Amino acid sequence: MKTLRTISELRAAIAPHRLDGKRIGLVPTMGYLHAGHASLIERAASECDLVITTVFVNPLQFAATEDLASYPRDEQGDADTASAAGADLFFLPSLDEMYPLGRDGVLTSVSVSDLSSVMEGASRPTHFAGMCTVVAKLFNIAGPCTAYFGKKDFQQLAIVKAMVRDLSFEVDVIGCGIRREADGLAMSSRNVYLTPEQRTAAPVLFAALCAAAQALSGGETSAEILRATMTDVINTQTLGQVEYLEIVDPITLGAVAQADLHSRFFGAVRFGSVRLIDNLDLTELDLTGLDLTGLDLTGLDPDASQPSAGA
Ligand code: PAF
């Protein structure tokens, strides 16, 4: 695997492969790679001839109050993980290389309306424009390619797909399944910040999504009741504060009143300063491969899920 730090080096390294008609795979990341990222790189390596992994902690997608400065970084660990997973090129640009006039000197912003204002966008209003701007830049640097994104950031995936469609990027965007720890917690670079107690409580988010998906598969379609089911599960512990729990249409990301088989369950829960997100649909409930009967839903009062009259 070759490490490249400048845009011109990366373009020069890709060019001969493109001339040879090779299929180029791109896995954009912000580093601190874990098994979830590795699975994206492995998938790209199984489908493409040349795999580029990028690591850039993009300041444009962090608000002033967010964890940019403390975002975890591990250049050597990332290089080892990317190489073991099958990356050929490892692109590690500096801030100056990506934004020569600095963060405030970036005058262009790519934003995708509607999809960007709900869920994550409601509490992070500038996040998706910052994300889209850097992803558009990476697509422009890499050129036509197949790009791999994880479904843990399902909203991001939907927004990137919309951007590609609207702006005619020659990029195939592939969404890859969520990798989970044995207890169901979705893998995330931010999990390292959980205290042992928070880490023990954190799988409650996945448990909540599973409980609602199970209720839907059992015939309950009222989004109000399904949301209450999720809330009840989260309330079985005290460390996590719910930011949102939603049941949405997977294409428009709009909240639904009546769920159907295509509906997707989303949640964001804050454990201290660590904000975790996760999502699930019925197909993934089957695919988790986890023994869902083992989920600890003790203390959950099934009747508490019923909304009170007029609620
Ligand atoms: O998902 C991420 O890690 C980032 O949002 C991305 C897509 C690499 C853009 O900075």
Side-chain angles (χ1 to χ4, degrees):
M1 186 182 77
K2 245 193 200 163
T3 298
L4 307 162
R5 293 182 190 271
T6 68
I7 294 168
S8 57
E9 278 172 351
L10 178 61
R11 284 188 166 139
I14 296 170
H17 297 276
R18 193 175 307 290
L19 279 177
D20 277 356
K22 303 284 192 209
R23 187 167 176 194
I24 316 286
L26 178 71
V27 184
T29 80
M30 294 207 303
Y32 215 70
L33 304 183
H34 49 65
H37 296 111
S39 70
L40 303 182
I41 301 169
E42 282 159 9
R43 168 114 183 241
S46 73
E47 295 176 355
C48 302
D49 305 303
L50 181 79
V51 175
I52 308 156
T53 298
T54 73
V55 171
F56 178 62
V57 182
N58 171 38
L60 299 186
Q61 66 193 76
F62 289 78
T65 51
E66 291 177 345
D67 56 351
L68 172 63
S70 62
Y71 197 83
R73 289 164 168 86
D74 178 7
E75 188 176 320
Q76 190 52 54
D78 289 347
D80 294 344
T81 303
S83 169
D88 302 294
L89 302 179
F90 187 56
F91 182 51
L92 202 74
S94 65
L95 184 62
D96 277 359
E97 179 66 13
M98 289 295 273
Y99 304 132
L101 302 183
R103 173 194 176 135
D104 296 337
V106 181
L107 304 183
T108 304
S109 177
V110 181
S111 69
V112 173
S113 59
D114 295 356
L115 300 180
S116 299
S117 56
V118 295
M119 294 191 290
E120 288 302 286
S123 62
R124 309 181 71 195
T126 56
H127 169 69
F128 286 121
M131 180 279 294
C132 274
T133 304
V134 82
V135 170
K137 184 167 174 114
L138 291 168
F139 286 173
N140 195 29
I141 295 167
C145 63
T146 305
Y148 296 82
F149 290 83
K151 285 188 186 171
K152 185 173 87 62
D153 296 301
F154 189 92
Q155 188 173 4
Q156 166 173 282
L157 173 65
I159 289 169
V160 169
K161 282 184 173 172
M163 176 184 81
V164 162
R165 183 193 62 225
D166 292 349
L167 299 184
S168 304
F169 280 101
E170 265 188 86
V171 175
D172 280 335
V173 178
I174 309 283
C176 305
I178 300 175
R179 290 294 299 267
R180 299 183 178 282
E181 305 290 352
D183 57 10
L185 176 66
M187 289 184 182
S188 163
S189 303
R190 290 187 167 98
N191 290 352
V192 290
Y193 291 127
L194 296 167
T195 64
E197 295 73 27
Q198 290 167 341
R199 174 63 190 82
T200 302
V204 76
L205 173 54
F206 176 62
L209 302 177
C210 286
Q214 278 176 315
L216 174 61
S217 68
E220 178 57 73
T221 60
S222 158
E224 193 175 1
I225 293 176
L226 294 169
R227 246 194 321 273
T229 300
M230 293 194 273
T231 305
D232 290 343
V233 175
I234 300 284
N235 288 343
T236 58
Q237 53 73 56
T238 52
L239 295 178
Q241 306 299 316
V242 171
E243 229 173 70
Y244 62 79
L245 294 166
E246 296 282 1
I247 301 137
V248 312
D249 176 279
I251 309 292
T252 65
L253 301 186
V256 297
Q258 291 296 320
D260 64 26
L261 296 180
H262 307 289
S263 298
R264 214 169 173 94
F265 299 85
F266 286 79
V269 175
R270 197 175 274 283
F271 291 87
S273 59
V274 187
R275 194 170 169 283
L276 300 182
I277 59 172
D278 199 353
N279 67 88
L280 187 78
D281 75 1
L282 285 186
T283 58
E284 286 149 3
L285 185 64
D286 287 342
L287 290 175
T288 54
L290 300 168
D291 179 5
L292 300 171
T293 55
L295 288 176
D296 183 10
L297 303 181
T298 47
L300 182 62
D301 173 3
D303 293 328
S305 300
Q306 308 299 319
S308 54

